[in-house]
Amino acid sequence: MEQMINKDLVKKLRNERSWSQDQLGTISGLSIRTIQRIESEGTSSLESKRALAAAFDINVSNLDINTTAAGTLASIHRGRKFGLAGATLGLLSAYIGISISFASGHITSGEAGIYYGGLGAFYGICCAVIAVLSNRYHTNAAIGRCEAAASAAGGDS
């Protein structure tokens, strides 16, 4: 049964040891074609995963893909899109409200200009805040992925 394997970690561990794919195949007892498939597709059998873990002297679980980090990154991007969409919807709603008030004579053109300017500035600030917070969470997620990979590569054998 095919399993997902952290192909980037396999490449990294192989390169750290200055092994070619052929050398890794010889050490692990796997064919070079299997090594190539693992490094390109990120799939392997449980037996191949065990052989690689033994060759690298790490736990088999260290070769598992960190799906939590990938999910976190996807939710960060989704949150950024929804945040920007919400700010844009708010901008359009306020713009329509100001335009209706101006058209019906409740505010003067000078007041409408001030409101439009303030609205534009507020929208710009909202977009900047969304971008900064999103990038901060993205950076924190990336740091978490690096720490997880470092502990998996070096760590608890």
Side-chain angles (χ1 to χ4, degrees), residues 70-153:
T72 301
L73 187 58
S75 72
I76 289 169
H77 289 299
R78 189 172 43 254
R80 180 184 298 171
K81 288 177 185 176
F82 280 122
L84 292 174
T88 302
L89 185 60
L91 171 75
L92 291 174
S93 299
Y95 181 81
I96 290 169
I98 294 168
S99 298
I100 290 172
S101 294
F102 176 66
S104 64
H106 294 328
I107 60 174
T108 65
S109 61
E111 291 173 323
I114 291 171
Y115 295 147
Y116 287 139
L119 184 61
F122 182 71
Y123 179 72
I125 291 169
C126 287
C127 289
V129 168
I130 290 169
V132 166
L133 292 177
S134 177
N135 287 338
R136 178 173 293 156
Y137 288 124
H138 184 277
T139 302
N140 289 344
I143 290 170
R145 284 193 308 274
C146 289
E147 289 172 352
S151 69

Side-chain angles (χ1 to χ4, degrees), residues 7-100:
K7 65 182 183 178
D8 296 325
L9 181 59
V10 172
K11 288 179 194 176
K12 178 180 177 263
L13 293 172
R14 179 175 61 80
N15 289 329
E16 283 177 356
R17 290 162 175 77
S18 300
W19 291 345
S20 66
Q21 289 179 331
D22 190 40
Q23 288 172 312
L24 177 57
T26 302
I27 293 167
S28 64
L30 302 173
S31 71
I32 188 166
R33 179 63 193 121
T34 300
I35 301 297
Q36 291 169 343
R37 181 177 40 79
I38 289 170
E39 289 190 359
S40 66
E41 298 174 13
T43 59
S44 74
S45 67
L46 180 58
E47 293 78 21
S48 296
K49 191 184 274 189
R50 287 181 179 152
L52 287 174
F56 292 129
D57 193 29
I58 60 173
N59 286 332
V60 175
S61 63
N62 292 348
L63 293 173
D64 291 338
I65 292 179
N66 187 352
T67 55
T68 306
T72 301
L73 187 58
S75 72
I76 289 169
H77 289 299
R78 189 172 43 254
R80 180 184 298 171
K81 288 177 185 176
F82 280 122
L84 292 174
T88 302
L89 185 60
L91 171 75
L92 291 174
S93 299
Y95 181 81
I96 290 169
I98 294 168
S99 298
I100 290 172

